[in-house]
Amino acid sequence: MALRYRRNINCLTSDQLHDLREAYQALYDLPEADPESFATLGGLHGQPAPSWCDHGAPGFLTWHRAYMLAFEKALRCVNSAVTLAFWDWSSGPTTGVPAACASPTYVNRAGNTVPNPLHSGPIASAAGGGSTSRRPSIATTSFAGPAVSAQGAMSSATYNSFQGALNGPHGSVHGLTGGHMSSVPTAGFDPIFFLHHCNVDRLWWNWQQTHPAVAMPANEATHPLDPFTKPYSNSWQVGSDVQSTDALGYRYSNWCIWIPPLKVWDLVAVRFEPVMVRRFRDARLVIRSTHMPAESIEFRVFVNQPDANADTPVVDNPGFAGSIGFFGMGDMKMEHGSGDESARFDIELNLTEHLRARCGHLADTGHGEGHNGEGHDDTGHDDTGHDDTGHDDTGHNGEGHNGEGHDGEGHDEPRAAEEASFDIKIVAVDPDGRAIDAQRAHIDDIELIVD
């Protein structure tokens, strides 16, 4: 199963942000009785009764993970390319909500100014009706306090201590956002609720990455997550069903990487800022396509070899990072189409160790281990983000800024003196090793994902 990546709302491309807004609006427009309407999904958290949410132990982290997944699935029923984004209030210090959520209107794809679905959401009629609002001073409200608390939670040694430590800053964000977000019965109707809890889930995911041996307590593992049922079952999910995000089909991207589009035969420069050099955990090259090619194709990936071509050696070549093969369909007919009309699929190549080697001696400073995988850009990164205006959606690959960690003071970790830069080139060849033109490859997108 190909993994999808949830990204920082501030790092979405213009198209990705449009997709997310349009999916939200589609849920708003569904009849309230529809099980996937925003009225139904938003109401699961509080009003109308019964209130299902868990805010203590057991169940706080697991119930909300199941809830975020249910909401994301509804969004993806509108557009399968959509994933839930996160509001990274935990980097600290930040002020206000993300720009994508701040304005009551935005300019849609058609160039029309329309209501912004991320600014305010409809409240179910059974919960009082109307639309959500936030505190009047939200634009100048500081979230530095919850950020410090969340950073401290990342050093927790046990599941229970982590959950307890994270619950506090989670609640502070609700209160600081104000308005309907500050009350359990109505919080789920504010569209930013899901971005907030997506970040809570990301913090848990990051903690899990650096505490893989820490077991989930038995009472958490067996705790029922009603009203969310197991697939093809009427039984409630339990905590252990949502312990692994890989099993659920997603991960988080903690970094924003601003690079040109990756294309076959093009040389693309990639730059890791010093904080990324020190703390990145995983790097994957993902090739996506909605068409299975009629002929088999091999994509060979080279790093720092700008002249790489079909004849460039792959054996004993330190610049060869691996290959991705597409299995040709030939003239085979399938129930849902011809040989080159299959469903969308992603194929990945793990570049982690190869890029670590390219980072030289800096790769030996821990890659985030011992710091709970969290990294904060010490250069004063502005987490308030951007909206569609002036954003170039042809370039960056939408990876999220790492939202956790410290400000660099008091670390005993060696600090990187320089950024790491390298080139990536992707070469396409047929089974006989002959070069294939990019137009024959049927590739929709190539993305470098780093977390």
Side-chain angles (χ1 to χ4, degrees):
M1 174 175 60
L3 294 171
R4 61 188 179 277
Y5 286 79
R6 294 177 177 175
R7 300 173 169 87
N8 189 323
I9 186 71
N10 292 336
C11 300
L12 299 185
T13 66
S14 179
D15 279 341
Q16 289 168 341
L17 187 53
H18 279 307
D19 287 345
L20 183 64
R21 282 177 165 145
E22 290 165 2
Y24 259 88
Q25 187 63 52
L27 300 189
Y28 293 171
D29 293 340
L30 289 174
E32 287 196 358
D34 191 300
E36 292 190 338
S37 71
F38 190 78
T40 297
L41 293 169
L44 294 180
H45 189 262
Q47 289 181 339
S51 177
W52 299 96
C53 62
D54 289 323
H55 284 112
F60 168 58
L61 292 174
T62 53
W63 188 91
H64 285 87
R65 176 168 285 181
Y67 190 20
M68 294 306 100
L69 190 64
F71 184 73
E72 184 180 62
K73 285 180 177 178
L75 295 173
R76 288 170 61 80
C77 284
V78 176
N79 182 342
S80 62
V82 170
T83 55
L84 191 56
F86 61 87
W87 165 24
D88 181 14
W89 47 263
S90 51
S91 288
T94 61
T95 301
V97 299
C101 307
S103 174
T105 62
Y106 81 106
V107 178
N108 67 11
R109 293 184 206 263
N112 300 320
T113 299
V114 297
N116 179 10
L118 298 179
H119 177 262
S120 178
I123 302 172
S125 57
S131 300
T132 59
S133 62
R134 300 163 191 153
R135 71 169 60 248
S137 60
I138 186 65
T140 58
T141 298
S142 172
F143 290 87
V148 171
S149 297
Q151 292 162 13
M154 303 307 292
S155 62
S156 302
T158 68
Y159 180 95
N160 285 338
S161 62
F162 173 73
Q163 179 169 244
L166 189 58
N167 206 337
H170 142 265
S172 294
V173 172
H174 275 282
L176 289 169
T177 305
H180 293 89
M181 264 283 281
S182 64
S183 176
V184 169
T186 57
F189 296 114
D190 188 326
I192 207 169
F193 170 91
F194 296 95
L195 278 63
H196 165 42
H197 269 281
C198 189
N199 192 52
V200 171
D201 187 66
R202 181 180 69 97
L203 293 169
W204 179 23
W205 178 80
N206 273 315
W207 183 84
Q208 288 180 299
Q209 306 313 299
T210 53
H211 296 78
V214 178
M216 178 181 286
N219 66 329
E220 292 282 355
T222 59
H223 183 69
L225 308 180
D226 42 339
F228 309 112
T229 57
K230 298 174 183 286
Y232 313 107
S233 170
N234 291 324
S235 301
W236 300 133
Q237 294 181 52
V238 295
S240 60
D241 292 325
V242 300
Q243 184 170 7
S244 168
T245 66
D246 279 14
L248 299 173
Y250 73 91
R251 290 181 179 176
Y252 286 95
S253 291
N254 284 319
W255 308 98
C256 289
I257 302 177
W258 305 85
I259 61 174
L262 288 164
K263 297 181 179 179
V264 177
W265 295 109
D266 283 0
L267 184 69
V268 176
V270 179
R271 179 176 64 88
F272 280 10
E273 295 180 1
V275 67
M276 293 179 62
V277 172
R278 296 196 306 272
R279 297 177 183 173
F280 86 92
R281 288 189 299 247
D282 189 68
R284 297 163 180 262
L285 188 73
V286 182
I287 297 182
R288 301 186 177 93
S289 178
T290 52
H291 296 81
M292 283 288 284
E295 58 184 328
S296 293
I297 302 174
E298 181 184 16
F299 297 96
R300 298 174 181 174
V301 181
F302 296 89
V303 177
N304 286 351
Q305 295 200 336
D307 298 325
N309 57 39
D311 297 322
T312 301
V314 297
V315 178
D316 296 327
N317 177 2
F320 175 62
S323 64
I324 296 175
F326 279 20
F327 196 13
M329 297 298 295
D331 295 326
M332 180 180 178
K333 301 293 183 181
M334 303 181 71
E335 291 182 3
H336 54 277
S338 60
D340 64 348
E341 295 178 351
S342 183
R344 171 175 171 164
F345 61 96
D346 301 352
I347 300 181
E348 299 184 356
L349 175 65
N350 195 304
L351 298 179
T352 306
E353 295 306 320
H354 202 88
L355 297 190
R356 281 179 178 170
R358 292 291 164 178
C359 290
H361 72 281
L362 299 176
D364 296 325
T365 63
H367 322 297
E369 301 302 323
H371 289 265
N372 302 315
E374 316 315 322
H376 178 64
D377 189 338
D378 304 326
T379 60
H381 177 76
D382 182 4
D383 250 356
T384 58
H386 51 75
D387 208 337
D388 293 339
T389 305
H391 181 72
D392 179 7
D393 65 353
T394 62
H396 89 280
N397 65 351
E399 301 319 311
H401 170 71
N402 187 333
E404 285 58 71
H406 308 276
D407 59 6
E409 297 181 3
H411 282 210
D412 56 5
E413 177 187 77
R415 300 187 61 79
E418 298 179 352
E419 65 186 27
S421 300
F422 43 85
D423 298 326
I424 293 179
K425 189 170 186 180
I426 303 170
V427 172
V429 299
D430 67 14
D432 295 320
R434 295 171 298 200
I436 290 180
D437 186 81
Q439 280 68 38
R440 291 167 58 189
H442 293 291
I443 297 302
D444 296 327
D445 182 40
I446 305 176
E447 184 176 30
L448 179 63
I449 298 175
V450 180
D451 61 53

